[in-house]
Amino acid sequence: MAYADSETTESDSDNPPVFYTVHNAKSDSGQPEEHVHGLDDYIQMGKYVLLVCLAAELLILPQVSSMFYMMYAGAAPRVVSCDNTVFDPLLEGKEICFEIDKIGNCSHPKFKYQFKSVNVEYNYFCDTSKQVKNSISVQMFGVLAGSIVFGQVSDSFGRKVAVQIASFGMIVGWLLVCQSRNLFHFTVTRTITGFFTGGSVS
């Protein structure tokens, strides 16, 4: 067990007496104790740490993009016209959908929108827009499954292997998403991408 010797010294006699104590920590063998290394001794702001920080920031980007996708991807556009029928701009969305139901078929709708959502991309509006919201819900199961599976992969093979697999899977997944031709293909590829995105989170 370590103990401390105390040495008391008096300052110069011309000044008021000031006393201080010097503690010299020693081990049982009489030698000074070795310095115990802490976390600050190992983490230094070098090139490797900067690279790790950059990689961590890049891994956050797909997670943030998925969050924004969940917020805006299912935004329903406003139908301006349907084939040769132009709707009154004062009509509300539900009223326009009711008019479309009376027409019976709207093969070439014209939309008004602030941004090009999945509904606009694949021509889903009115009642069919619910399918886009269902698609988003299915994709979240991929994120949940990825978090569970990659948690086990990380424990078994290490976080480095898990991050490498998840990053490669996200790259391939996003390339497949870009090639989607319909909502079903889009849902499948987004679910696969969400699986690896969930893995990067875990």
Side-chain angles (χ1 to χ4, degrees), residues 85-141:
T85 304
V86 179
F87 300 108
D88 188 345
L90 298 178
L91 292 177
E92 296 183 356
K94 292 183 178 180
E95 295 174 334
I96 293 176
C97 291
F98 180 74
E99 294 295 329
I100 293 175
D101 290 338
K102 291 196 300 183
I103 295 174
N105 185 20
C106 184
S107 57
H108 297 87
K110 184 178 180 180
F111 299 129
K112 181 180 180 181
Y113 50 87
Q114 293 181 341
F115 54 89
K116 196 171 184 179
S117 63
V118 177
N119 301 61
V120 178
E121 179 72 22
Y122 299 115
N123 207 21
Y124 283 83
F125 56 94
C126 291
D127 292 338
T128 57
S129 62
K130 297 178 181 179
Q131 299 181 31
V132 177
K133 297 184 182 298
N134 294 336
S135 169
I136 296 174
S137 300
V138 171
Q139 295 166 31
M140 290 308 299
F141 283 103

